[in-house]
Amino acid sequence: MRVQPWVGAAVRLGLAAVWLFAGGSKVTDLAGSGRAVNAYQVFPYDLAMVIGAALPFVELALGVLLLIGLATRLCAVVSAGLLVVFIAGITSAWVRGLRIDCGCFGVGGELAAGQTPAYGPEIARDLAFLALAGFLVWWPRTALSTDSWVNSNR
């Protein structure tokens, strides 16, 4: 029995859980998600609000596709791209001295007085998620996936 497809399934399901939790925590407050994006002070307000409203749906779609194992490599590439953007955004906020919550798993934004940002751990966490996405880019064939089922019936 080959181990890699089972390790890949665990990685795929883990990354699916990340996206489902991230999107699910924001989808009920799209305006709050927009404000979290706006807190990074990178985009004009209206564009930040659109990005913030769309992001939870992108995250949920990635989560569902990874959960069922459909278009795994494409989802991994998109995941990696998003994670690089998130890491760059958090790094930019840190370097510019902003005091914000990343909004990664819920509504973020400016921190209240007395709260300190956790940029280092947030970047480390996202780098770990990026490693999971990278694994799936290189080894997208996983056990218990729709991709495997479709490819076995060709």
Side-chain angles (χ1 to χ4, degrees), residues 28-86:
T28 58
D29 186 3
L30 299 179
S33 182
R35 287 189 299 276
V37 172
N38 189 56
Y40 284 89
Q41 300 175 14
V42 173
F43 302 107
Y45 177 81
D46 290 337
L47 181 56
M49 295 303 286
V50 170
I51 292 169
L55 187 58
F57 296 102
V58 172
E59 292 170 335
L60 288 170
L62 286 170
V64 168
L65 289 170
L66 286 166
L67 183 67
I68 64 173
L70 183 61
T72 301
R73 178 173 277 146
L74 176 62
C75 289
V77 168
V78 172
S79 294
L82 275 176
L83 288 161
V84 167
V85 168
F86 294 165

Side-chain angles (χ1 to χ4, degrees), residues 78-124:
V78 172
S79 294
L82 275 176
L83 288 161
V84 167
V85 168
F86 294 165
I87 292 164
I90 295 167
T91 302
S92 171
W94 194 359
V95 168
R96 292 181 294 137
L98 300 179
R99 298 184 68 253
I100 62 174
D101 178 321
C102 74
C104 301
F105 295 100
V107 177
E110 294 195 32
L111 293 173
Q115 290 183 308
T116 56
Y119 297 131
E122 290 169 351
I123 291 168

